[in-house]
Amino acid sequence: MTNSMFRQDNSSSFFYRFVDLLILVVTLLSCLIAYSQSLTKDYLLILLAYLLCYAFVAESVQLYRSWRVGRFGRMLFLLIAVHTLCFLALLSTLFFLKQGASFSRVVLVGWYGLSILCLISWRVMAKEVKTLRRKKGLSMQRVAIIGYTDTGRRLHQQMQEHIELGFDCVGFFDDRALNRLGEGAAPLIKGSVESAVMMAQQGRIQKLYICLPMLAEKRIADIIQRLGDSTVDVLMIPDFLLKNLMHARIGSVGEVDTLSVFESPVYGIKEFYKRAFDFLFSAAVLLLISPLMLTIAAAIKATSAGPVFFRQQRYGLDGKPINVLKFRSMRVMENGAKVTQATKGDPRITPIGAFLRRTSLDELPQFINVLLGDMSVVGPRPHASAHNEEYRKQVDYYMLRHKVRPGITGWAQINGWRGETDTLDKMAMRVKYDLEYIRQWSLWLDIKIIVLTLFKGFSGKNAY
């Protein structure tokens, strides 16, 4: 929970966008000059198209969001992924339009390599310059923490460990006697809450963190009211339910402010991005795997009696029923109030079905569900309706996994929680990862899960 409190300053995000686009322009011009080429109308056209594509994809995967401490490497990896995806899209477009001969392959490949190098290098330099300035005490913000609580101590620890955040913490302010605060508190306590409020009003600190328990509601309200007579940034880090917030977002009903506790992270333009990605991806996959699906269908019909597809009712978005398609892998078609999960050596599984289930090939028809909008490529795996009714009474927050569309693959599956859930602990772990996915959702996370699924998500020791 602690790391989620910290994000690097995002005030320079516009500058990052500008420099990135400038690098893309300058590196193409440099490659053209180096290879004795001129900036023709065709090159100018693909440059403008590339800049628009890059900007769109970068915003879609939140490349310019504030990155948490310790995530610099991930940000660089995402940068490379965005650039590579756009470059492959450019090459594919040129190929299908039969325009590749109009451009120098040396220039295009050189542009890709040089721009990647420059985009990474300038970010590394910017990070080092910022860290160096902070170590010298430059651009530091003086901050204070009200409340010597567990949350406050974790906050202070992160400030001490990550100098690049630029926080100079003057200490804790608490009204309780030192003997109630525990061993080691004395050197860190700099005064009472009143002292912190006065420091803020006098402009001696720039940020003030309130880390009091929510039981102290009246005390917190009084502090906030008094801090209205200052220009200090006031940040509140409550200790209640933080780990259980599905998606914290400030909203309003008329003039009444609201804070979402359980809400889908996929809303507005984000829903458009995810749905557009699902539609395009599933359509492309279905075209590619259609020969394989026809082969599997023929094998099922040839080896056992019954239909090719098995339609099972499951819960979809917001718990609404959907019919999920799978290649039939069993001799039975359970879809009632009681559904028995498959186990190792299950006699109900057909010979071809065992192979399909181990390799997840039985789930390929679910790309049709994705195309139709019932499912997503990535999301919590849908369970049989009977299992939902069973486990919602036993696993905390179980039904929150339905705040997004169910997926063909998911965060739980690539982390090893795939297949049979024969114990309550196994189901609880799957739900834990499902909810973690929903809290952290981004289009980039979806892409990451898809890539990881290719390497380790199609099979598992619990898949029967």
Side-chain angles (χ1 to χ4, degrees):
M1 178 179 73
T2 305
N3 284 344
S4 64
M5 299 174 188
F6 295 96
R7 296 185 183 273
Q8 294 175 1
D9 182 13
N10 199 36
S11 60
S12 59
S13 61
F14 174 79
F15 181 66
Y16 272 73
R17 292 177 172 88
F18 174 76
V19 173
D20 279 0
L21 297 181
L22 181 63
I23 285 175
L24 292 173
V25 173
V26 172
T27 50
L28 176 59
L29 294 176
S30 300
C31 289
L32 287 170
I33 294 173
Y35 202 61
S36 301
Q37 298 277 312
S38 58
L39 181 63
T40 63
K41 181 176 67 175
D42 291 336
Y43 275 113
L44 182 60
L45 185 61
I46 66 166
L47 174 61
L48 293 176
Y50 193 89
L51 294 178
L52 289 174
C53 180
Y54 180 89
F56 175 80
V57 176
E59 296 297 339
S60 299
V61 299
Q62 302 177 33
L63 177 63
Y64 299 106
R65 68 183 173 88
S66 297
W67 285 85
R68 296 176 183 175
V69 172
R71 301 294 179 89
F72 185 71
R74 293 191 183 186
M75 185 265 284
L76 294 183
F77 182 78
L78 179 57
L79 170 68
I80 295 172
V82 168
H83 194 29
T84 302
L85 180 64
C86 293
F87 186 72
L88 292 176
L90 171 63
L91 295 184
S92 300
T93 302
L94 294 179
F95 174 79
F96 284 114
L97 296 179
K98 298 182 179 180
Q99 297 295 317
S102 304
F103 304 94
S104 167
R105 283 175 286 185
V106 174
V107 169
L108 293 180
V109 173
W111 178 34
Y112 169 76
L114 181 59
S115 56
I116 280 279
L117 180 63
C118 292
L119 288 169
I120 293 175
S121 297
W122 100 263
R123 277 175 166 77
V124 172
M125 290 175 58
K127 178 177 180 292
E128 292 302 317
V129 169
K130 181 182 289 187
T131 302
L132 183 62
R133 286 176 56 83
R134 299 279 165 76
K135 287 182 177 179
K136 291 183 176 181
L138 301 174
S139 302
M140 298 290 284
Q141 288 186 310
R142 284 173 58 84
V143 304
I145 301 174
I146 290 181
Y148 189 75
T149 59
D150 290 341
T151 301
R153 288 192 292 274
R154 289 197 297 270
L155 181 68
H156 181 261
Q157 180 184 0
Q158 291 291 305
M159 290 179 179
Q160 298 297 104
E161 292 179 357
H162 299 287
I163 188 66
E164 66 270 22
L165 291 170
F167 293 132
D168 175 20
C169 184
V170 300
F172 289 87
F173 296 83
D174 201 300
D175 288 337
R176 292 173 293 174
L178 289 177
N179 58 7
R180 293 180 56 197
L181 299 179
E183 186 178 354
L188 299 174
I189 302 299
K190 302 302 179 182
S192 64
V193 172
E194 178 67 22
S195 301
V197 172
M198 291 181 62
M199 288 181 68
Q201 292 173 336
Q202 294 168 3
R204 293 159 56 193
I205 55 176
Q206 285 78 51
K207 288 183 182 292
L208 183 61
Y209 289 88
I210 302 176
C211 298
L212 297 176
M214 292 307 295
L215 292 175
E217 179 182 356
K218 292 183 179 179
R219 184 68 170 130
I220 293 171
D222 177 66
I223 294 171
I224 291 175
Q225 182 179 17
R226 296 188 60 194
L227 289 172
D229 185 29
S230 73
T231 58
V232 70
D233 292 336
V234 181
L235 298 97
M236 185 172 168
I237 306 181
D239 63 347
F240 80 114
L241 295 178
L242 276 186
K243 66 179 181 179
N244 295 322
L245 289 179
M246 179 60 64
H247 176 64
R249 182 165 66 97
I250 298 295
S252 64
V253 178
E255 296 183 356
V256 178
D257 292 332
T258 63
L259 173 66
S260 64
V261 177
F262 300 141
E263 186 180 43
S264 172
V266 186
Y267 61 90
I269 192 64
K270 295 179 182 179
E271 184 177 10
F272 168 77
Y273 285 147
K274 186 168 176 64
R275 180 65 191 130
F277 176 82
D278 283 340
F279 183 85
L280 295 174
F281 188 88
S282 59
V285 169
L286 285 170
L287 286 175
L288 290 173
I289 66 174
S290 55
L292 175 61
M293 291 182 67
L294 289 173
T295 302
I296 293 174
I300 292 172
K301 292 297 289 184
T303 57
S304 63
V308 170
F309 294 117
F310 170 48
R311 292 175 174 83
Q312 187 176 52
Q313 189 176 89
R314 302 190 176 187
Y315 287 5
L317 179 65
D318 294 328
K320 297 177 181 177
I322 60 173
N323 288 313
V324 173
L325 290 173
K326 297 181 73 172
F327 280 124
R328 183 176 57 82
S329 59
M330 288 186 172
R331 296 182 176 87
V332 298
M333 304 280 282
E334 292 183 352
N335 195 22
K338 180 175 176 57
V339 176
T340 305
Q341 289 190 352
T343 58
K344 189 173 184 179
D346 197 317
R348 299 172 301 165
I349 300 176
T350 64
I352 187 70
F355 170 75
L356 294 177
R357 296 174 74 93
R358 271 198 314 272
T359 57
S360 293
L361 292 176
D362 63 321
E363 295 169 0
L364 291 181
Q366 288 169 33
F367 281 106
I368 299 174
N369 287 113
V370 176
L371 196 66
L372 295 175
D374 293 331
M375 294 178 61
S376 179
V377 177
V378 179
R381 286 292 299 148
H383 298 156
S385 299
H387 294 154
N388 282 323
E389 294 306 318
E390 176 186 355
Y391 287 111
R392 68 187 300 178
K393 303 170 185 175
Q394 303 178 61
V395 180
D396 289 342
Y397 308 111
Y398 178 88
M399 291 301 290
L400 294 183
R401 62 197 304 277
H402 300 98
K403 299 303 292 183
V404 295
R405 287 185 176 88
I408 296 176
T409 184
W411 187 236
Q413 282 63 48
I414 65 169
N415 280 283
W417 300 101
R418 175 182 178 271
E420 183 186 14
T421 49
D422 54 344
T423 68
L424 190 59
D425 288 341
K426 286 183 180 179
M427 180 59 78
M429 287 302 297
R430 179 181 288 188
V431 172
K432 172 186 174 183
Y433 279 96
D434 286 340
L435 299 185
E436 185 176 297
Y437 163 77
I438 296 175
R439 292 188 188 101
Q440 299 180 2
W441 178 82
S442 69
L443 194 57
W444 160 240
L445 181 58
D446 279 0
I447 295 172
K448 175 182 176 180
I449 291 172
I450 291 171
V451 172
L452 290 175
T453 299
L454 296 175
F455 292 99
K456 60 180 182 179
F458 284 119
S459 61
K461 62 182 180 180
N462 297 320
Y464 309 125

